[in-house]
Amino acid sequence: MTQDETGTGDAKGAGTEAHSGARVAPGRALGLTAAIAVVLVGIAAVVWLNPRQMTREQYLALDYFPMERPIALEPFRLTTHTGAPFVLDSLEGHWNLLYFGYTYCPDVCPTTLALLNSVVKKIAADGNPAEPQVFLISVDPERDTPDRLADYVTFFNPGFVGVTGELAEVTNLAQQLYVPFGKVPGGSGDDYLVDHGANVIVIDPRGQYAGFFRPPLEPEHLLEVLTSLLRR
Ligand code: NI
């Protein structure tokens, strides 16, 4: 914006000089203006095609921790809330946000899913190429049936996908993404809590671990980082 304004000012200045100074022929001034216009259009095109390549420091300042190099994941086999397989392929072709949690979670999970809903809605409204796919991976597969997950995640956003399956396979994926979780001791029967990491994991369109957001999650920070990643 500032660049554009400065550029326009220069072009006007050149035109004025041509009239008063009479040293620069009107034709040359026009040529100069045209040349500046071409340069400005060029800069605008580069900025539009290649917006906001952020540095590692800029990402860190927004609580996003990018991997030095994206990490390829080992295969896993889980199930979405519609009963479809959730495997490595499910993450390819689009950006993904993975959050580990569970439907009985008293506070952090609902807050996070509501926040992710507001972020992806804003991304879609801003006319980005594609909004990231959000997955809630259940750390409580014992109680989180596909039906229960379906009701839960679609309450926050009809596009969100719940994932459940064998505890060993949830553990397999969670460990690859460095997300800790475990039942809190002292519960009885069906009445228990599950502690879990609250990072939001970012998986790139090649299905590789690209980085994570660490709480406290700020919607504006997620929006800025994800917009940069989506247009990269
Ligand atoms: Ni939770």
Side-chain angles (χ1 to χ4, degrees):
M1 200 56 100
T2 317
Q3 267 176 338
D4 280 359
E5 281 161 12
T6 313
T8 312
D10 284 347
K12 273 182 192 153
T16 313
E17 226 172 87
H19 286 290
S20 55
R23 295 221 162 218
V24 183
R28 254 193 89 189
L30 265 180
L32 186 62
T33 307
I36 290 169
V38 166
V39 168
L40 287 180
V41 168
I43 290 171
V46 169
V47 170
W48 183 76
L49 290 172
N50 221 343
R52 323 275 266 114
Q53 279 286 6
M54 295 171 80
T55 64
R56 185 174 178 81
E57 286 64 36
Q58 286 175 311
Y59 281 134
L60 294 177
L62 296 170
D63 302 314
Y64 177 63
F65 296 73
M67 298 294 152
E68 289 291 345
R69 276 164 188 276
I71 299 172
L73 300 179
E74 297 297 323
F76 52 84
R77 176 155 281 279
L78 291 160
T79 310
T80 73
H81 70 242
T82 64
F86 180 73
V87 294
L88 264 180
D89 280 0
S90 317
L91 298 171
E92 290 176 12
H94 43 81
W95 285 90
N96 307 272
L97 300 177
L98 272 58
Y99 186 72
F100 287 75
Y102 64 117
T103 63
Y104 287 91
C105 181
D107 45 29
V108 182
C109 289
T111 313
T112 305
L113 289 171
L115 181 147
L116 292 176
N117 170 55
S118 75
V119 170
V120 297
K121 270 199 181 137
K122 187 79 171 57
I123 288 175
D126 285 350
N128 284 286
E131 62 209 84
Q133 175 64 58
V134 175
F135 294 99
L136 172 69
I137 320 286
S138 176
V139 292
D140 183 20
E142 210 177 304
R143 289 181 296 184
D144 282 341
T145 60
D147 280 352
R148 189 175 164 84
L149 271 171
D151 287 346
Y152 188 75
V153 296
T154 56
F155 167 78
F156 293 96
N157 183 308
F160 285 4
V161 174
V163 172
T164 187
E166 296 290 330
L167 183 62
E169 282 299 289
V170 176
T171 307
N172 165 14
L173 181 57
Q175 283 181 346
Q176 295 192 58
L177 302 172
Y178 311 107
V179 177
F181 73 92
K183 253 190 208 183
V184 177
S188 60
D190 247 10
D191 186 16
Y192 56 86
L193 292 171
V194 183
D195 261 349
H196 60 89
N199 289 343
V200 172
I201 308 295
V202 178
I203 306 284
D204 70 20
R206 296 198 307 185
Q208 299 186 329
Y209 187 6
F212 62 87
F213 291 97
R214 194 172 66 179
L217 302 170
E218 296 289 343
E220 304 78 28
H221 292 183
L222 268 79
L223 188 63
E224 195 172 344
V225 171
L226 292 169
T227 301
S228 154
L229 293 177
L230 285 168
R231 294 185 180 174
R232 194 160 68 181

